[in-house]
Amino acid sequence: MKHIGIIGAGISGLVTAKTFLQKGYLVTILEKSDQVGGVWNKKRSYAGVTTQTTRDEYAFSDFPMPADYPMWPSGSQVQEYLENYARHFGLLPYNIRFGATVKRMNYDGFLWQLKLDNGEMLSFSYIVVCTGTFHDPYVPELPGIQSYKDAGGIVLHSSEVASEDQLRDKDVAVVGFAKSATDIATMASDVSKSCSLIYRRAQWKIPRYFGNLINMKYLLFSRFSEAFFDAHKKTSFQKVLHSIGKPVVWLQWRGLELLLSKQFKLKQCGMRPAHRIEDQISCSLGVEPVGFFERVASKKISAFCTEIERFEGRDVVLKNGESVRADLVVFGTGFRQRLPFLSLQYQQRITNSKGMFSLYRNILHPDLPQMGFVGFNSSLFTTVTSEVAASWLAATVADELILPPADDMFAEMARMEKWRSDGRPIAAEFSGLCVAPFNFQHLDELMKDMGLRTMASKNRLREFFKPIDPKDYKKMLSARPQVF
């Protein structure tokens, strides 16, 4: 029996373990922390964090979130959900080793040999890397930052803000405009002495309810909404829409921008983005923290559209000539994707000169024997894309899915890399690992590879307009493949 080693016990690691267990494999998850959850681990997520995706969509196909959870669950509720998922499918306590950090791994021609940080050696027939896109918190090294610390200033990454008490009665400066930065600035504005937000450029954010009426899922999580993006592979409808229907596409996006500008009063805030919204929508698309723009308009949050030039003692000197005095600087500057346990020769094979990953279907590389990646296909509903990717990978290991020749896989990877680079620059985000906004297109590719249906019913019109429903994939993934 093959022994499958899985690195990481977040969303992707848990669903991968469950999938391989159900196929009869021996499975061990290696998790460096002391609990499951990955980015939702209480020790890694910041205070007040909530999902960007709604409750019923941010769930696995065979394990819905509790109905008494709010529409946008908190970080602690997602953590609880993942713990319950692990218990329900028998992953706890026997299939997870906590406190196990992989330091080095080598393939000997038959097995992967892994060395842990305690010196222990483990062997596996197959390795699945599930470390995801939020691996290494990034805090830039700026001139004078040590002088700021020496003067008593505190520097934190957003993931280190565990409680609003860390912000209370302090002069707080938050750097960035992504979800974590604006979430923390909104929270700080209610408890701090002062709150400043320093950002390079404004980004479009979306409301939980468009026009304060329509739940975002109806406008963002359907095949219909996805069709308005210029995909690298187009359906017949998309070909028409992006040729003779271009004026309709243009009007749809400009109308959305107008709606957001009015709903958030972006001009009054001085935060109307200069770029088109369709050029931004990706995995980093942010949901507006409730009341964020109101706080900017009322000056509860002092906004500075510039960059930090240097630190001088407790002063944060900005490139626009202004300065901000801060007791605490929080960097909401994201994460870097790293695989420190993988040898340099393998890292160079799966990434290009720009540090972007190149994987077939975002899951495997022909030159890496007996290894796959799940969760490297980040999307707007990662629970589902990770689950389908895990099923796809398990099918290849079980020889139920026959992969194309290596040359064909390399050609497809090169085509995708060129499209991401030339046709959609935003795709460089997350080291090229984001499949959004083409979430359904990616899922459909994986399902077709497995010989499975891509839609839950024959009512194509309904399927085209309805939001993603994870429960559909429970039925479709359990069906008998039509082809191999």
Side-chain angles (χ1 to χ4, degrees):
M1 178 188 297
K2 286 185 178 179
H3 190 181
I4 311 297
I6 297 170
I7 304 176
I11 283 174
S12 301
L14 295 177
V15 74
T16 300
K18 188 266 298 190
T19 302
F20 274 94
L21 273 176
Q22 290 182 340
K23 281 193 173 291
Y25 292 102
L26 181 63
V27 170
T28 299
I29 301 178
L30 303 174
E31 169 54 48
K32 64 181 180 181
S33 178
D34 60 356
Q35 56 187 321
V36 304
V39 72
W40 297 107
N41 185 320
K42 295 183 181 74
K43 295 180 180 178
R44 292 188 60 196
S45 59
Y46 57 89
V49 65
T50 63
T51 62
Q52 299 239 84
T53 304
T54 43
R55 175 196 63 214
D56 297 332
E57 286 68 41
Y58 200 74
F60 296 113
S61 70
D62 50 4
F63 197 75
M65 278 202 176
D68 60 354
Y69 275 16
M71 187 62 70
W72 282 268
S74 68
S76 60
Q77 288 170 323
V78 177
Q79 169 77 10
E80 178 185 56
Y81 168 77
L82 294 174
E83 289 173 350
N84 290 335
Y85 177 88
R87 290 192 189 94
H88 179 79
F89 289 105
L91 306 181
L92 286 172
Y94 304 112
N95 296 106
I96 305 179
R97 286 192 56 176
F98 292 107
T101 300
V102 180
K103 300 298 288 184
R104 190 170 67 244
M105 52 195 297
N106 179 64
Y107 185 66
D108 65 8
F110 299 95
L111 301 171
W112 279 99
Q113 307 293 341
L114 276 63
K115 184 177 182 180
L116 305 186
D117 59 348
N118 63 2
E120 184 180 359
M121 297 295 297
L122 301 174
S123 299
F124 295 99
S125 309
Y126 200 97
I127 289 291
V128 188
V129 179
C130 299
T131 53
T133 54
F134 300 103
H135 185 269
D136 201 13
Y138 172 64
V139 175
E141 279 294 330
L142 294 165
I145 196 167
Q146 189 58 48
S147 74
Y148 175 77
K149 295 177 183 177
D150 291 342
I154 303 170
V155 174
L156 296 176
H157 184 265
S158 57
S159 62
E160 297 175 299
V161 181
S163 167
E164 66 176 25
D165 289 338
Q166 293 169 271
L167 314 171
R168 192 177 304 279
D169 300 326
K170 290 183 175 69
D171 291 314
V172 177
V174 182
V175 182
F177 205 85
K179 174 176 168 57
S180 64
T182 52
D183 276 354
I184 290 170
T186 303
M187 178 169 57
S189 68
D190 289 333
V191 300
S192 64
K193 189 186 302 181
S194 69
C195 177
S196 301
L197 180 70
I198 303 165
Y199 62 100
R200 285 187 295 180
R201 67 169 186 164
Q203 300 282 355
W204 291 102
K205 291 190 178 291
I206 58 170
R208 292 181 172 184
Y209 293 92
F210 284 93
N212 297 313
L213 293 172
I214 303 174
N215 190 306
M216 57 178 274
K217 67 181 181 180
Y218 294 107
L219 298 185
L220 291 178
F221 297 162
S222 70
R223 292 176 183 273
F224 174 71
S225 61
E226 189 171 309
F228 281 83
F229 294 95
D230 193 8
H232 60 288
K233 291 181 182 178
K234 295 181 177 66
T235 63
S236 298
F237 175 73
Q238 287 173 311
K239 289 177 181 177
V240 173
L241 191 60
H242 291 277
S243 54
I244 62 175
K246 273 189 175 181
V248 176
V249 175
W250 185 89
L251 284 172
Q252 188 262 358
W253 291 123
R254 303 297 76 78
L256 180 57
E257 290 176 355
L258 181 62
L259 172 62
L260 296 178
S261 295
K262 287 185 174 296
Q263 184 168 343
F264 292 146
K265 298 182 174 63
L266 295 182
K267 286 187 177 180
Q268 181 181 339
C269 296
M271 286 184 165
R272 193 185 193 284
H275 56 276
R276 305 186 311 171
I277 190 170
E278 64 266 37
D279 294 332
Q280 179 197 318
I281 295 179
S282 184
C283 291
S284 63
L285 178 68
V287 175
E288 182 236 9
V290 177
F292 167 71
F293 289 108
E294 291 177 9
R295 287 166 170 78
V296 172
S298 67
K299 306 300 182 184
K300 286 190 71 175
I301 298 174
S302 299
F304 298 88
C305 185
T306 183
E307 296 182 64
I308 297 175
E309 183 173 281
R310 66 186 185 279
F311 288 83
E312 289 183 357
R314 292 287 285 277
D315 291 327
V316 184
V317 181
L318 308 178
K319 289 186 177 180
N320 66 358
E322 298 181 90
S323 64
V324 174
R325 174 149 288 218
D327 304 314
L328 168 65
V329 177
V330 179
F331 284 90
T333 43
F335 294 78
R336 287 184 293 198
Q337 174 57 47
R338 296 178 61 246
L339 301 174
F341 46 80
L342 203 58
S343 68
L344 184 60
Q345 64 169 342
Y346 286 135
Q347 291 191 46
Q348 290 175 337
R349 290 183 189 182
I350 63 176
T351 57
N352 63 19
S353 59
K354 297 179 181 178
M356 293 178 63
F357 282 80
S358 184
L359 300 169
Y360 181 69
R361 298 289 197 250
N362 284 52
I363 299 175
L364 55 76
H365 193 284
D367 283 345
L368 266 65
Q370 304 297 102
M371 178 181 289
F373 301 79
V374 175
F376 285 57
N377 56 344
S378 186
S379 73
L380 296 182
F381 23 90
T382 295
T383 45
V384 177
T385 47
S386 287
E387 182 172 3
V388 175
S391 295
W392 186 97
L393 186 62
T396 68
V397 175
D399 293 327
E400 297 168 356
L401 188 161
I402 307 302
L403 293 170
D407 286 348
D408 291 352
M409 288 192 281
F410 279 122
E412 171 69 6
M413 289 156 58
R415 188 183 68 79
M416 286 298 298
E417 185 175 332
K418 178 174 174 52
W419 174 78
R420 287 175 180 140
S421 175
D422 300 344
R424 190 167 174 79
I426 192 69
E429 284 190 328
F430 289 21
S431 302
L433 297 175
C434 177
V435 301
F438 306 106
N439 312 285
F440 281 103
Q441 183 179 83
H442 177 70
L443 288 169
D444 289 352
E445 282 184 331
L446 300 182
M447 297 296 285
K448 287 176 182 176
D449 287 347
M450 291 185 284
L452 299 173
R453 292 171 56 180
T454 59
M455 295 186 183
S457 74
K458 295 182 179 180
N459 187 336
R460 299 184 68 85
L461 188 63
R462 178 175 179 272
E463 297 289 336
F464 188 60
F465 285 101
K466 76 172 187 178
I468 181 78
D469 186 348
K471 293 190 295 295
D472 289 345
Y473 286 86
K474 177 182 179 180
K475 177 168 58 175
M476 293 190 293
L477 287 170
S478 62
R480 182 175 181 178
Q482 299 170 359
V483 294
F484 290 91

